[in-house]
Amino acid sequence: MRRILAVVALLLTSLLGLPATGGAEVAAEPLGSGAVLFNPLGPAGHCTAAFAAVDARGLGHLVTEASCANLTSADLYTTDSSGKNVLVGSVVSAGATYAVVRVRNTAAWELVPWIDTGTGRVVLTGSRETPAGGTVCLVDRPAAMSCGRVLLRDDPDGPAPGLTRTDLCASPESVAFITADQAQGVPVSASSWCTTIAGTSWFAPVNPILEHEQLSLLTG
């Protein structure tokens, strides 16, 4: 019944020319770090959201891995709790190591500041950078969360400029790097896909991305 009322409200809003409210009257589902995005009409493949962010107007965005920009569609979807594919939004910016998705469907989705580690939720409170030698953890969908060390920031031998090297394994399902409740970066690549803690992987630090895109990390 709530969804029917929401649809009626949105139709009236459109007909009367009123601004959209973002849907306080609708039962939006949580959307944020770990959301799997895909183009149901495009090539096979998907990408993963690393962090939720907002712009100066309060509009919601997802900072994602760069492959989100390669799904060749104006529209990206994810799956809700009922298993239905639901529109999220579209890629509005992309760099060599990340992409940014603008969340257009605010009636269906509510941005959340937490990340699911596989054993619980961590509410992100900031993005203070961990120095070389410090502990960093990788949230990875199949392997839950593993922790290791930051080896080198701005690694000159990395697969792209400006990346941070770690001693952690990564997989194609990696979500994000964090330290405690602090966002660290977007997974970029690994020396090899693996399932144990030993390995080498890199991430694009989130703060330069946020600064360049004029976004603020969504925190709780």
Side-chain angles (χ1 to χ4, degrees):
M1 182 67 181
R2 232 189 257 184
R3 290 189 180 277
I4 293 173
L5 291 175
V7 170
V8 171
L10 289 172
L11 287 173
L12 287 174
T13 295
S14 177
L15 290 171
L16 295 175
L18 299 175
T21 64
E25 71 279 17
V26 300
E29 295 207 16
L31 179 73
S33 183
V36 178
L37 305 174
F38 54 89
N39 166 17
L41 301 178
H46 62 270
C47 62
T48 304
F51 303 107
V54 294
D55 65 15
R57 296 174 293 173
L59 300 177
H61 296 74
L62 295 171
V63 179
T64 76
E65 59 181 318
S67 61
C68 272
N70 300 328
L71 297 182
T72 63
S73 173
D75 294 328
L76 295 179
Y77 289 70
T78 193
T79 305
D80 68 10
S81 58
S82 71
K84 179 182 176 182
N85 295 341
V86 181
L87 172 70
V88 172
S90 54
V91 174
V92 292
S93 182
T97 56
Y98 70 93
V100 175
V101 174
R102 163 79 181 281
V103 180
R104 302 200 325 265
N105 188 359
T106 56
W109 304 109
E110 177 186 4
L111 279 187
V112 294
W114 44 258
I115 182 168
D116 189 344
T117 66
T119 58
R121 292 175 179 173
V122 172
V123 178
L124 298 172
T125 65
S127 55
R128 184 174 61 251
E129 289 189 350
T130 300
T135 299
V136 69
C137 299
L138 172 61
V139 179
D140 190 280
R141 189 168 293 105
M145 185 169 73
S146 58
C147 297
R149 297 287 174 184
V150 172
L151 298 179
L152 183 63
R153 287 198 167 272
D154 199 13
D155 184 359
D157 298 320
L163 300 183
T164 296
R165 177 160 37 114
T166 80
D167 64 357
L168 288 163
C169 278
S171 84
E173 306 301 320
S174 293
V175 175
F177 285 84
I178 62 173
T179 297
D181 60 359
Q182 301 295 303
Q184 294 300 311
V186 180
V188 173
S189 66
S191 55
S192 61
W193 303 129
C194 46
T195 56
T196 62
I197 193 171
T200 302
S201 60
W202 290 265
F203 65 81
V206 69
N207 285 334
I209 296 172
L210 295 172
E211 182 178 0
H212 184 267
E213 300 296 335
Q214 299 182 38
L215 298 172
S216 298
L217 182 73
L218 184 66
T219 57

